Every structure is written in C-alpha cells, then in structure tokens.
Amino acid sequence: MIRTRFAPSPNGPLHLGHAYAAIVAHDLARSRGGTFEVRIEDIDGERSRPEFIAGSLADLAWLGLSWDGEPVFQSHRLSSYAKAAERLKAMGLLYPCRCTRAEIAAAATEVGPDGPLYPGTCRHLPDNKHAIDPQGAAWRIDMAAAVALAGPLEWVDELAGPQRATPEIFGDVVLLRKDLPASYHLAATLDDAVDGITLVTRGMDLFAASHVHRLLQALLGLPVPTWHHHAVLLEPDGRKLAKRRGAPSLSDRRLAGEDGPALAAALRDGRLPAGISLSSGLHVKA
Ligand code: GLU
C-alpha cells in the first residue's frame, strides 16, 4: 500500500502551487487505496509561525482534502536529526564550516542546483582547527568521500523513470545548518523513512534534491521509496509561483467565501487562473 505526503513549511500562507501539490499527493494515495500524511516542516523556528500551521490545515480541509492520522511536526523530531548527524560525523563524513555566504560566493568557481558550489575551503582543515569552535558552525558533507563510500546509486521517479544518483552536483552541501539542528535534506530524508513514505510526492523543482536524499538513505541504511515529482505552477515569467512574490493565498480565498472543492476540481482539470501555467520538463526556475 502506498503512502504519500504533503510537507509544507509554515513560513507563510499556502498558495495555489501548494494546493496543487497537496491535491496530487492526496489523489495518488486515494486512487491507489493508500494513505496520505501531512507533515509540517517547521524546523526553522525563527520563520515558522503557528498561525500559518493552523491556516494551512484549514486550507487543506477547505479544499476537501483529508489526511490520515494527525499531522506530524519536524520540530518534535530534532533529536532524531541530531542522532543521524552524529552517525555521519562518526563515519568521518561531516566537517564544520564557518564560511559566510559572501565568502563562498567570492571563492566559488561552479554553480550547483542551489547556487554557488561550496569551494571546499574548510574540508581539509586540520582536526585541531575544526575542534576550535564547532559550535555555531554549519556541518557539510564531504561529498566525494560520501559518494565513494556509498558506491553507484539509482532511484526511480514514477514519471521520469530510473535515475542514476548524482548528488555530487550539490558539492559539499550543508546537512546541519549553523542556526538549526538539521537541514531540509537531512530532516526530509529521515522523516520520509520514519513515516513509512513509499511515494515521495513533491514538485519537480525539488527533483535534484532527491539525488542527495538517495545518498543519505544509502549512508544511513534507510528504506528507498519511489518518487513522484509533479509539474509546478508557474507565473507568466516562467518562475515558480512563490509566496515571497505575493501569490494570492489560499486563506484569503477561503476567508472571502470562495468554493474550495470547486477550486480543487479546477486544479485537477488543469483549469488555471489567467497567466498561470503548469511547468513541463524538469527544469524550473526558483
Ligand atoms: N517543505 C518543502 C516546501 O515547502 C517541501 C519539501 C518536500 O516535499 O520534500 O517546499
């Protein structure tokens, strides 16, 4: 039986793009007799706000979507992220880094899926230098060492087919953020495993992230799900609909008395508001 999930970060209100993602995950589960989880990705305590959590759940219910069990919260699972990070440290795969964004941008010579690739400045600092003050440092994975340890890996996207994992395109990505007890990559991978997610359903803007998640599954001995990266809603300029660019929120529509199930039906049929389109292909500008 499949299990899918919708995993919003409560740092703003949900918009149409979230509605589409939630509908896809919900409908895949329902059409195959599976279950659908809602996971609140609230590790970023600074940016997560309780009103966005309540609003998001109300929005989903308004759209006519039901989820199985209680929603789960990443903020309740911080110790499991720390434990996994300790394992990776014990394997010699993580190193502390105190470089600033500006330093990285200035020294980078390549660009990865998330911006300038980390140039490896702190990778080979002597141990005593690392030990000076790992507090307040970010912890990066030594990607070359991790890839060598894991060996060749594959994963399968239901829509795009079998993929050879190429996590190296991210370079030495951060697994423990300076300010947080995890990173998106670590927390999402662990949660999908612990929650028994068999079909990781999310937008294709996160397609490349799955290379990193597949690597973490191999390193940590986690089960390997199948992925379903769906199309995402685009603004007229071809960029992903985003809350920071002021996409109208579901809550505003709900509170204005709009018909939620009718909106969900329109999204299912691909009837989108003027100017909004669905992405095709795998490359989406953030
Ligand atoms: N929390 C992420 C977001 O809101 C989704 C992560 C995922 O589905 O893996 O974009």
Side-chain angles (χ1 to χ4, degrees), residues 5 7-9 18 39 41 184 188 201-202 206:
R5 83 311 193 270
S9 304
H18 296 106
R39 180 167 78 224
E41 300 211 325
Y184 160 63
T201 312
R202 60 179 167 223
L206 287 168

Side-chain angles (χ1 to χ4, degrees), residues 156-244:
V156 177
D157 180 273
E158 278 197 336
L159 304 175
Q163 307 291 318
R164 188 174 63 83
T166 56
E168 57 276 10
I169 59 173
F170 282 85
D172 289 2
V173 74
V174 169
L175 287 194
L176 286 182
R177 281 171 49 176
K178 217 177 274 196
D179 48 337
L180 297 179
S183 64
Y184 160 63
H185 295 304
L186 187 62
T189 304
L190 289 165
D191 284 348
D192 284 334
V194 103
D195 294 342
I197 301 300
T198 62
L199 187 62
V200 172
T201 312
R202 60 179 167 223
M204 59 172 61
D205 52 315
L206 287 168
F207 192 91
S210 301
H211 293 302
V212 176
H213 301 184
R214 179 68 189 86
L215 173 67
L216 292 175
Q217 286 153 4
L219 296 173
L220 294 166
L222 303 174
V224 181
T226 301
W227 280 261
H228 181 110
H229 291 97
H230 56 75
V232 298
L233 267 54
L234 302 179
E235 304 212 13
D237 64 1
R239 293 196 299 174
K240 197 177 86 133
L241 219 65
K243 43 196 158 202
R244 66 177 182 281

Side-chain angles (χ1 to χ4, degrees), residues 19 23 27 62-65 259-271:
I23 289 168
D27 289 4
W62 168 71
L63 288 166
L65 305 180
D259 182 336
L263 176 63
L267 289 171
R268 285 187 176 101
D269 292 350
R271 283 181 280 119

Side-chain angles (χ1 to χ4, degrees), residues 99-111 115-121 140:
C99 296
T100 62
R101 260 174 214 269
E103 286 166 344
I104 296 169
T109 55
E110 287 172 83
V111 178
L117 269 201
Y118 183 65
T121 320
R140 294 180 177 276

Side-chain angles (χ1 to χ4, degrees), residues 18 24 36 49 52 55 85 95 97 107 122 140 156 159 172 201 217 232 237 240 245 258 262 276 278 282:
H18 296 106
V24 170
F36 168 60
R49 301 237 301 270
F52 293 134
Y95 63 87
C97 166
C122 296
R140 294 180 177 276
V156 177
L159 304 175
D172 289 2
T201 312
Q217 286 153 4
V232 298
D237 64 1
K240 197 177 86 133
R245 283 196 292 275
E258 201 176 316
I276 304 294
L278 264 180
L282 285 179

